[in-house]
Amino acid sequence: MVLLADHDPSDCHSRLIQAATEVFIEEGYRASIERVAVRANVARQTLYNHFPSKADLFGEVIKQATAALLVTLDGKAEGLRERLLRFGIAFRAKALSSEGLGFYRALVAESKRFPELAATFYRTGPAQTAARLRGVLQEAMDRGELRPADSEFATTTLLSMLVGAERSHFLLSGESPPEPDPARVAQLVDCYLRAFASEISHSNPAPQRSVP
Amino acid sequence: MVLLADHDPSDCHSRLIQAATEVFIEEGYRASIERVAVRANVARQTLYNHFPSKADLFGEVIKQATAALLVTLDGKAEGLRERLLRFGIAFRAKALSSEGLGFYRALVAESKRFPELAATFYRTGPAQTAARLRGVLQEAMDRGELRPADSEFATTTLLSMLVGAERSHFLLSGESPPEPDPARVAQLVDCYLRAFASEISHSNPAPQRSVP
DNA sequence: AAAGGATTAGACTGGACAGTCTAGTCTAAC
DNA sequence: GTTAGACTAGACTGTCCAGTCTAATCCTTT
């Protein structure tokens, strides 16, 4: 379980959130409260001692997982390509993992029923990640490593390329999620850099090696 | 309603599928059978005269909408860029419309409960579209208009760029879906062509390889 | 006009499930 | 040992809903 690691198994509250996270990822919000309680080795009443309702429990799960889904972008020392590679690998690992896909499925499924929850998740999760990436790309543009462009567009495009169609593929096709594939990330990042490379300066290399 | 147009409103069967499509798009499979019947101005029993169960009705809705979601790629006469533009505009229009998003939400939400249905949809819908696009891109590569590359990769990348992050944005953020934006498609397609342009291409020079 | 098929309203069944209640158990602190 | 607080098992309520059943009605065809 990637999404929650720091849980004291002797603590009911933690065990409940852990169990609920797993169950909601597997079955979505439709999963019964009973299943969560059983998974946590706890009586149903105990669950209600800790959370006023199923919706609150769901909210708590989303809230805690949101933080765990943020993808780091540090590594100022590295060059742009290396930074994007590390980011891309981490991003894909979370988004295309079995947990990431299940989480996404559950949240999308309930985004009509819990609109404010979904919006909050989006703002504090994906949108945060996008904002940080945008900063990195904007700096690279300022340095002349990337051609000047709308940084919102540049950010969205990279994020789209990294998971876009594949997320849908694994959500719908029934195939089990892919192994992490750093080579594919390299292909994508190089592709991206080729499209966004500065027209003048080629100080930022966009190796063609990884495009077969 | 984009997804179903050719329905005789005097025909119960058609009206039921139409109503079910709308209701499932709005509320997902959780929507009650009663709501579908009311929307179709039909008694609940009549619905069961036409469809043996709710699941069958859902399957029928998916089946019919799948065809409507296919995006055409004809226009052999045009140049590659124009063809991709027209494709991109049509593709985004369907994928990012309110109906397209609702449909996607409903299907993703139930892809665990109806795995074979989701897989069939995927194979005969998105995967079909991807296969056609792949053919177009492969031809362009053969003609030397695009650099030689894995055509699966080239296809996935374009499809990702066209909707990827934005689909998630509109599914989760609660914002209402965007107006069609041909300018954005043009931006994306040009971006894509820059990344996949033939290396000897004149109008879209790819960055040269330099010291890593 | 009669017949047959489709449609209708509404009652009904059975199952699932969120949430409550109760009576009892366990444990740790004093 | 007593007490307080957390936990447990399981019965119970109320709601929602898929799917069935029935008896009446409407429409079309002959």
Side-chain angles (χ1 to χ4, degrees):
Chain A
M1 171 56 53
V2 179
L3 293 185
L4 284 172
D6 53 344
H7 278 299
D8 177 357
S10 72
D11 174 10
C12 255
H13 194 83
S14 293
R15 277 211 324 276
L16 276 165
I17 293 185
Q18 173 70 43
T21 305
E22 294 173 15
V23 169
F24 286 146
I25 281 177
E26 286 166 21
E27 307 180 41
Y29 187 70
R30 98 168 53 256
S32 80
I33 272 293
E34 179 68 17
R35 290 185 77 92
V36 175
V38 166
R39 175 84 59 118
N41 273 311
V42 137
R44 193 162 64 255
Q45 182 56 54
T46 302
L47 189 153
Y48 283 104
N49 289 343
H50 288 270
F51 303 94
S53 75
K54 188 183 183 184
D56 288 88
L57 175 58
F58 188 59
E60 199 56 33
V61 165
I62 302 296
K63 194 173 138 202
Q64 298 224 3
T66 303
L69 283 172
L70 280 177
V71 177
T72 130
L73 257 163
D74 6 312
K76 300 249 180 212
E78 306 163 304
L80 178 61
R81 179 169 182 273
E82 285 67 36
R83 254 178 116 175
L84 294 185
L85 279 180
R86 295 219 314 171
F87 169 76
I89 289 170
F91 185 70
R92 270 177 71 101
K94 300 213 177 178
L96 299 182
S97 68
S98 151
E99 294 93 8
L101 290 169
F103 191 80
Y104 184 83
R105 179 185 285 118
L107 203 47
V108 164
E110 304 304 330
S111 58
K112 272 275 170 58
R113 199 203 296 224
F114 303 115
E116 74 309 319
L117 184 61
T120 301
F121 165 78
Y122 186 74
R123 271 200 315 278
T124 61
Q128 274 304 312
T129 300
R132 293 182 196 173
L133 176 59
R134 184 174 176 171
V136 170
L137 295 176
Q138 183 65 65
E139 282 171 27
M141 288 178 197
D142 295 344
R143 281 197 309 273
E145 278 185 74
L146 294 181
R147 67 167 59 190
D150 176 9
S151 65
E152 185 278 326
F153 176 76
T155 306
T156 303
T157 303
L158 179 53
L159 290 175
S160 291
M161 287 171 72
L162 282 171
V163 299
E166 281 161 288
R167 172 140 54 193
S168 296
H169 175 87
F170 290 106
L171 280 172
L172 295 175
S173 73
E175 290 177 34
S176 41
E179 292 303 309
D181 185 353
R184 180 133 191 148
V185 177
Q187 240 181 333
L188 284 164
V189 166
D190 288 335
C191 203
Y192 179 80
L193 288 175
R194 226 180 296 132
F196 282 90
S198 159
E199 295 165 89
I200 318 109
S201 158
H202 298 144
S203 63
N204 183 266
Q208 290 146 17
R209 187 183 324 124
S210 57
V211 175
Chain B
M1 170 57 53
V2 179
L3 294 185
L4 285 172
D6 53 343
H7 278 300
D8 177 357
S10 72
D11 174 10
C12 254
H13 195 83
S14 293
R15 274 206 334 269
L16 275 165
I17 293 184
Q18 172 70 43
T21 305
E22 294 173 15
V23 168
F24 286 147
I25 281 177
E26 286 167 21
E27 307 180 39
Y29 187 70
R30 97 169 52 257
S32 79
I33 274 292
E34 178 67 17
R35 291 185 75 93
V36 175
V38 166
R39 175 83 59 117
N41 274 312
V42 136
R44 192 160 66 256
Q45 183 55 54
T46 303
L47 189 153
Y48 282 104
N49 289 344
H50 288 270
F51 303 94
S53 74
K54 188 184 183 184
D56 288 271
L57 175 57
F58 188 60
E60 200 53 35
V61 165
I62 301 294
K63 193 173 139 203
Q64 298 224 2
T66 303
L69 283 173
L70 280 177
V71 177
T72 130
L73 257 165
D74 8 313
K76 299 249 181 217
E78 306 163 303
L80 177 62
R81 180 167 181 276
E82 284 66 37
R83 252 177 119 176
L84 294 185
L85 278 181
R86 294 216 318 169
F87 170 75
I89 288 170
F91 185 69
R92 270 177 69 102
K94 300 213 175 176
L96 298 182
S97 69
S98 153
E99 294 93 8
L101 290 170
F103 190 81
Y104 185 83
R105 179 185 285 116
L107 202 47
V108 164
E110 305 303 330
S111 58
K112 272 277 171 57
R113 201 203 295 224
F114 303 116
E116 74 309 320
L117 184 61
T120 302
F121 164 78
Y122 185 74
R123 272 200 314 278
T124 59
Q128 274 307 311
T129 300
R132 294 180 195 173
L133 176 59
R134 184 173 176 170
V136 170
L137 295 176
Q138 183 65 63
E139 282 171 26
M141 288 178 198
D142 295 345
R143 282 197 308 273
E145 277 185 74
L146 294 181
R147 65 168 58 192
D150 177 10
S151 66
E152 184 279 326
F153 177 76
T155 306
T156 304
T157 302
L158 179 53
L159 290 174
S160 291
M161 287 172 72
L162 282 172
V163 299
E166 281 162 288
R167 172 140 55 191
S168 297
H169 175 87
F170 291 106
L171 280 172
L172 295 174
S173 73
E175 289 176 35
S176 41
E179 293 303 308
D181 185 354
R184 180 134 192 149
V185 177
Q187 237 181 333
L188 283 164
V189 166
D190 287 335
C191 201
Y192 178 79
L193 288 175
R194 224 179 296 134
F196 283 91
S198 159
E199 296 166 80
I200 32 174
S201 167
H202 35 287
S203 49
N204 284 311
Q208 300 306 306
R209 184 178 186 177
S210 63
V211 191

